[in-house]
Amino acid sequence: MGASKVSLDDMMVFCRVAENGSFTKAANDLGISKARVSQVISQLEDAVGSRLMHRTTRSLSLTDVGEGYYQRCKVIEELAEEANSAVEGHRDEPSGILRVSTPLGVSAIGELLSQFVKQYPQITLDVVESDEYQNLIESQCDLAIRTATVLEDSSLYAARIGEINDIICASPEYLSNFGEIATPADLQQLDWVSHHTVQGNMGIDLVSPKGMSIKVMKRARVSVRSATMLRQFLIDGVGFGMLPNIVVAKELQSGELVQILGDYHDVSIPMYAVYVDKKYMPLNLKVLLRFLKEHRITL
């Protein structure tokens, strides 16, 4: 066994023997057998290729090499204790960096995260906005906020933090060019702006008031890959689109956009906080998760 194979535990056993001047006392301190202590010291000396201790039946003392080795082992022990204390400190006061993936353009999430950083000034947020699926490990995100009826990765943990409604809407100015939009068939006369990542661009799935599935076969006039871009096309009167009400809340309130065919598409979709590790979750992530659960996102 070379010196590179020496474990931190073995070095700490050596320190206890050096400080106690006795295998027996060191064994008592460590809660292991005297024979195990003796074995560790012998293996340690073999590993470093030098005698570290003078042993007689009545006494035990460090060699010159052993004294130097002991001083270096103590430095390592103190560094290990500092590292452990630093981690324990993080358990006591939430701090550090959290990388969070969120959908694009959802102001309600931004407002909530703003409240969070005000409440926890020692925590730094790195927010990654994207409507594309983010692999938490590859993107090095601690948590992702996702809307989905079914989560795609069963290896992840998820906590429900709210719900949104997916609706069909358009600008009243655009709709004024057509007659009343009362049935799914009426969508054929309108241009469709599709969120390609969520809906594709070849058809629209709706449900009748009686629960019957309806497929509107239609090709998108415009395909986008973010809810923010989709919202802008609708505001500009390019066509109709399907997107979460939380994304267009202000536009619906101001009248810039209006909902259509609510009887055929007004779907409640759960919103989740998704994360990787439950057992060794750092304190800053625990408090964010608790905060999101307590301040549920609804509209």
Side-chain angles (χ1 to χ4, degrees):
M1 180 173 67
S4 61
K5 300 295 185 179
V6 174
S7 73
L8 180 61
D9 287 341
D10 290 349
M11 297 169 76
M12 296 308 99
V13 170
F14 171 74
C15 286
R16 297 294 83 77
V17 174
E19 291 162 356
N20 284 283
S22 164
F23 283 0
T24 301
K25 291 180 181 179
N28 290 336
D29 281 355
L30 295 166
I32 59 178
S33 69
K34 178 183 175 181
R36 176 55 185 156
V37 171
S38 179
Q39 181 186 34
V40 168
I41 299 303
S42 294
Q43 290 176 343
L44 195 56
E45 289 177 326
D46 288 342
V48 299
S50 296
R51 181 170 292 279
L52 301 173
M53 294 181 172
H54 296 300
R55 307 173 184 75
T56 69
T57 55
R58 294 186 178 183
S59 66
L60 183 151
S61 61
L62 294 175
T63 64
D64 289 343
V65 173
E67 181 63 38
Y69 189 68
Y70 168 71
Q71 296 300 331
R72 288 169 174 79
C73 286
K74 283 300 292 181
V75 171
I76 294 171
E77 182 178 26
E78 290 168 3
L79 289 172
E81 289 175 353
E82 287 179 13
N84 290 333
S85 296
V87 173
E88 289 170 1
H90 280 293
R91 292 207 306 262
D92 297 333
E93 181 180 359
S95 61
I97 300 174
L98 282 175
R99 188 174 173 87
V100 180
S101 171
T102 73
L104 273 167
V106 183
S107 59
I109 295 177
E111 292 166 4
L112 200 56
L113 293 178
S114 294
Q115 294 177 37
F116 176 76
V117 294
K118 289 178 181 178
Q119 185 169 328
Y120 296 97
Q122 299 304 315
I123 293 178
T124 300
L125 284 187
D126 180 6
V127 180
V128 181
E129 284 190 288
S130 176
D131 281 347
E132 299 289 338
Y133 168 80
Q134 293 286 321
N135 181 293
L136 290 185
I137 295 175
E138 292 178 0
S139 63
Q140 297 182 324
C141 287
D142 300 290
L143 180 143
I145 297 175
R146 294 178 179 164
T147 55
T149 52
V150 178
L151 292 172
E152 69 291 330
D153 191 339
S154 60
S155 68
L156 300 175
Y157 294 95
R160 187 161 176 166
I161 59 170
E163 51 277 326
I164 60 172
N165 277 49
D166 200 55
I167 64 172
I168 306 174
C169 58
S171 74
E173 289 77 14
Y174 175 74
L175 293 173
S176 66
N177 297 312
F178 308 93
E180 181 184 7
I181 307 300
T183 70
D186 295 331
L187 294 177
Q188 294 293 357
Q189 59 186 311
L190 308 182
D191 288 324
W192 176 30
V193 183
S194 165
H195 192 313
H196 186 273
T197 307
V198 179
Q199 301 149 5
N201 62 359
M202 295 299 293
I204 303 166
D205 294 310
L206 305 175
V207 179
S208 75
K210 295 183 179 180
M212 300 291 291
S213 296
I214 299 172
K215 181 78 171 184
V216 179
M217 300 305 298
K218 186 175 182 66
R219 181 181 291 274
R221 171 80 186 282
V222 178
S223 294
V224 299
R225 285 162 178 77
S226 79
T228 305
M229 184 66 72
L230 173 53
R231 177 180 60 198
Q232 190 59 50
F233 272 104
L234 301 188
I235 292 171
D236 291 341
V238 174
F240 76 92
M242 303 164 66
L243 75 177
N245 57 352
I246 200 169
V247 175
V248 291
K250 292 179 181 178
E251 289 76 18
L252 291 171
Q253 187 174 9
S254 68
E256 285 183 275
L257 296 175
V258 294
Q259 182 178 0
I260 59 175
L261 296 182
D263 289 341
Y264 292 88
H265 189 75
D266 192 341
V267 181
S268 179
I269 302 175
M271 181 173 285
Y272 295 96
V274 182
Y275 51 99
V276 175
D277 195 348
K278 189 173 184 179
K279 184 176 181 181
Y280 299 109
M281 184 185 296
L283 180 59
N284 56 5
L285 185 53
K286 285 182 181 178
V287 296
L288 175 57
L289 193 58
R290 183 172 65 240
F291 183 89
L292 292 173
K293 289 179 181 178
E294 292 173 353
H295 299 76
R296 292 175 64 85
I297 300 171
T298 57
L299 190 68

